[in-house]
Amino acid sequence: KGYAIAIGISGVGTFIGTLLAPLLIQRFHRARSSRMVAFVAVVACASAGFVATRLTVLAMAFCVAISMQVLRVFADSVVQKSVDDRAIGRAYAAYDVASNAVFLVGGLTVLAVRSAAPRVPSTMWFVVAALGFLLLMLHSWTSDRPAREVHRAC
């Protein structure tokens, strides 16, 4: 039951992130918005690490889902704007595989540490570290880089 609630809340966060991304770009620009949503996600993870209750973990899932979706929308727009049509498929594939791989490795790391030390509340810091790394990687895709650099990466 708890996992279903977390997945549902993450889905709502993802939907809200999709709606929020264009508003953030209009108001704050993409680079500033990326840093803001990354900061919100890291603070949410740290809060859940300090006070690991069901409510804080669900709030963390909601905030992280919003942040991840906003960053994905930003990355999509940068790729679409910056990459030549002949290479756009490879660019989408590259950042999609990279972001999913980092997300998976972060999750597996947390599960491994959590199962090795189930009573240690500091294991939530691994969530913060994994999420921070993921958000930095996604932020590099959402920064304003010239098209030739993005094209060269493909």
Side-chain angles (χ1 to χ4, degrees):
K1 183 178 174 180
Y3 289 119
I5 293 171
I7 290 170
I9 286 177
S10 294
V12 171
T14 300
F15 179 72
I16 290 172
T18 302
L19 299 176
L20 191 60
L23 300 173
L24 287 173
I25 288 177
Q26 286 176 350
R27 174 99 174 155
F28 300 109
H29 193 266
R30 186 178 17 259
R32 189 175 197 187
S33 298
S34 296
R35 288 187 292 273
M36 287 173 23
V37 297
F39 180 75
V40 167
V42 171
V43 167
C45 289
S47 299
F50 285 123
V51 184
T53 66
R54 184 178 187 170
L55 183 61
T56 57
V57 171
L58 292 175
M60 177 194 69
F62 180 73
C63 291
V64 169
I66 290 174
S67 298
M68 292 299 302
Q69 187 62 20
V70 167
L71 289 172
R72 284 186 181 169
V73 169
F74 288 175
D76 284 349
S77 69
V78 168
V79 169
Q80 191 172 21
K81 230 175 30 174
S82 303
V83 177
D84 186 62
D85 288 343
R86 295 172 296 179
I88 201 161
R90 289 183 303 223
Y92 276 123
Y95 95 81
D96 194 42
V97 167
S99 65
N100 287 332
V102 170
F103 191 75
L104 181 65
V105 168
L108 291 175
T109 302
V110 169
L111 288 175
V113 171
R114 185 78 177 149
S115 64
R119 297 278 182 204
V120 179
S122 62
T123 56
M124 287 301 286
W125 285 108
F126 285 96
V127 174
V128 175
L131 180 64
F133 181 68
L134 172 66
L135 291 174
L136 285 175
M137 188 273 304
L138 287 176
H139 175 67
S140 71
W141 278 97
T142 60
S143 64
D144 293 325
R145 298 191 297 182
R148 64 183 174 279
E149 288 182 32
V150 175
H151 182 70
R152 227 179 310 166
C154 299

